[in-house]
Amino acid sequence: MTSEPADSAFLRACRRRPVSHTPVWFMRQAGRSLPEYRALREGVPMLTACATPELVVEITMQPVRRYGVDAAILFSDIVVPLKAIGVDLDIKPGVGPVVAAPIRDAEAVKALRPIEPDDVSYVTEAVRALTGELGATPLIGFAGAPFTLASYLIEGGPSKNHDHTKAMMYGEPELWHALMDRLTEITLGFLRVQLAAGASAVQLFDSWVGAVSPDDYREFVLPYTSRIFAGLAGLGAPRIHFGVGTGELLGLLGEAGADVVGVDWRVPLDEAALRVGPGKALQGNLDPAILLAPWEVVERRAGDILARAAKIEGHVFNLGHGVLPGTDPDQLARLTDFVHEVSAR
């Protein structure tokens, strides 16, 4: 056991250095599938929990204690920085983020102001407390990427086809670029706050960006994700880039400047490595739904991912998206042990 996060298997793998075992963490490991999480969240709205340092610390620590994962991820939500700068939104159970007044004109875009550390002092407080409690286990900070945030703001909530988002992107490109510019600064500011408080790495979640074609990604999205990663480059922390349904975009996700590219379950990991190209570590990519199957299935599929990762320079084992609410926590604990044992070298 190392005494400093800097020498952890997780950070070493992100930097494509030799590791004693493949590190493991799970997207949405802190949350819905854990009975202790549900007990703690009883009657507490999501955004209240995200703004209460003691709750953030406890919820972030729960999966570390239970699963023995190689990294913790800050318990938060991608809309936290938007709420912090005054956007009227709420997270409705069973629905997701809902924005009271969708942003569809220049005036509404201009109202989005940069984020200041004081806007999210509870995040600084939680991260500082966590780094003290985690010791040698690294803490991953995170933020939603500009495209995904833009989609929530423009649609007013979750959307299947992103109609209004694409209508603005294609039909009002100047307005689109102005919005993305603002969201880039907000996201960059939010990630810098987490790193300044002691987070060891950051992940940029672009949950909905799989909705765009490679050409449109290059024109309407890439300049902004690149700016975020470039703005974090001098801080020394590994930068992870993850999107859902991004098989056709993997090369571009790598080009955006992250150190680690997250891969969802739709593309085999060895194929993903070819698409991303050299010089990047990969993270992924077990289908979260496989954890609902019997252990023998989980074991076989996880073993296949580790075999495909054997020739990849750096690999962080994860799911291809977040832990599903119905997942048995024992499956995740067993999977963590399995990956550690099989990959030990």
Side-chain angles (χ1 to χ4, degrees), residues 232-271:
L232 300 171
L235 300 176
R239 300 152 298 169
I240 309 168
H241 194 10
F242 174 73
V244 185
T246 48
E248 298 303 320
L249 304 176
L250 284 171
L252 289 160
L253 294 189
E255 209 178 298
D259 305 290
V260 185
V261 175
V263 183
D264 78 6
W265 68 92
R266 295 168 176 89
V267 179
L269 207 58
D270 45 356
E271 169 62 23

Side-chain angles (χ1 to χ4, degrees), residues 58-214:
E58 175 56 25
I59 292 167
T60 302
M61 291 300 300
Q62 285 174 347
V64 179
R65 294 188 203 114
R66 193 187 257 259
Y67 305 138
V69 284
D70 294 277
I73 183 155
L74 183 72
F75 174 73
S76 188
D77 189 89
I78 62 169
V79 298
V80 163
L82 300 179
K83 180 81 173 174
I85 61 160
V87 176
D88 186 359
L89 59 82
D90 197 14
I91 297 175
K92 302 216 165 148
V95 179
V98 176
V99 179
I103 290 183
R104 294 181 191 167
D105 59 38
E107 284 309 303
V109 169
K110 282 180 189 154
L112 293 172
R113 65 168 176 83
I115 197 163
E116 303 293 339
D118 285 352
D119 296 322
V120 284
S121 56
Y122 46 86
V123 171
T124 298
E125 191 181 326
V127 170
R128 283 183 179 153
L130 277 163
T131 50
E133 198 160 327
L134 283 162
T137 303
L139 175 67
I140 305 167
F142 85 96
F147 178 87
T148 293
L149 295 179
S151 177
Y152 280 120
L153 288 172
I154 297 165
E155 302 292 340
S159 167
K160 195 174 177 185
N161 299 313
H162 310 281
D163 317 35
H164 295 289
T165 306
K166 289 186 171 184
M168 182 189 291
M169 196 169 81
Y170 298 136
E172 299 178 89
E174 280 185 25
L175 183 59
W176 171 262
H177 287 296
L179 174 58
M180 290 291 278
D181 189 66
R182 298 267 170 148
L183 291 174
T184 297
E185 288 309 308
I186 291 163
T187 302
L188 190 49
F190 189 52
L191 289 171
R192 281 178 173 151
V193 163
Q194 295 171 63
L195 288 169
S200 296
V202 289
Q203 175 158 303
L204 190 67
F205 279 87
D206 216 345
S207 317
W208 305 131
V209 81
V212 303
S213 71

